[in-house]
């Protein structure tokens, strides 16, 4: 009986690690796409901005958006790493219950 529980715990831990890895990869891709998009937009409109003050404002605004969004996502990743067994365990429990209901 104990061996079956250990196997179930090991399987759950593997599933949690896979879900966490997918979420981490998705967030890293999101950060890269965000940076590329914001910098592309800034550099695309740069030649059309004649007022130096507007260039400064746009540069600072772009930098703030990138820094704060990146920091928020990094903080979320750290939180998910710390509490991944609680967060993903609960998700997996509900997913398993939904699958059982369908059958």
């Amino acid at each position: 009986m104990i061996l079956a529980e250990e196997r179930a715990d090991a399987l759950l831990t593997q599933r949690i690690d896979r879900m966490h890895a997918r979420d981490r990869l998705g967030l890293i891709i999101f950060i890269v796409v965000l940076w590329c998009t914001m910098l592309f937009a800034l550099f695309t409109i740069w030649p059309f901005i004649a007022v130096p003050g507007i260039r400064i404002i746009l540069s600072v605004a772009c930098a703030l958006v990138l820094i704060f969004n990146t920091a928020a996502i990094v903080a979320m990743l750290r939180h998910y790493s710390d509490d991944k067994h609680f967060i993903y365990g609960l998700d997996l429990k509900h997913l398993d219950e939904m699958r059982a209901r369908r059958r």
Side-chain angles (χ1 to χ4, degrees):
M1 189 66 165
I2 294 173
L3 195 56
E5 290 176 12
E6 289 177 4
R7 285 183 189 159
D9 286 343
L11 179 62
L12 180 64
T13 301
Q14 287 176 350
R15 291 174 69 195
I16 288 170
D17 289 340
R18 282 195 309 262
M19 282 184 79
H20 179 67
R22 276 194 311 259
D23 284 353
R24 188 176 53 237
L25 178 64
L27 289 171
I28 290 169
I29 290 170
F30 178 78
I31 289 173
V32 170
V33 169
L34 176 70
W35 276 77
C36 291
T37 303
M38 292 291 290
L39 294 175
F40 173 77
L42 182 66
F43 291 127
T44 301
I45 65 166
W46 196 261
F48 303 110
I49 303 170
V51 181
I54 299 296
R55 284 184 174 185
I56 292 170
I57 291 170
L58 283 176
S59 298
V60 169
C62 181
L64 288 174
V65 166
L66 291 174
I67 289 168
F68 284 129
N69 275 309
T70 302
I73 291 171
V74 168
M76 185 173 64
L77 280 173
R78 285 187 184 148
H79 173 70
Y80 276 24
S81 294
D82 294 341
D83 292 335
K84 70 180 177 180
H85 289 283
F86 174 73
I87 295 167
Y88 295 109
L90 196 59
D91 284 347
L92 288 171
K93 176 185 169 190
H94 292 300
L95 285 172
D96 292 343
E97 288 175 358
M98 286 188 336
R99 285 187 189 129
R101 279 189 215 143
R102 287 183 193 161
R103 292 179 192 164

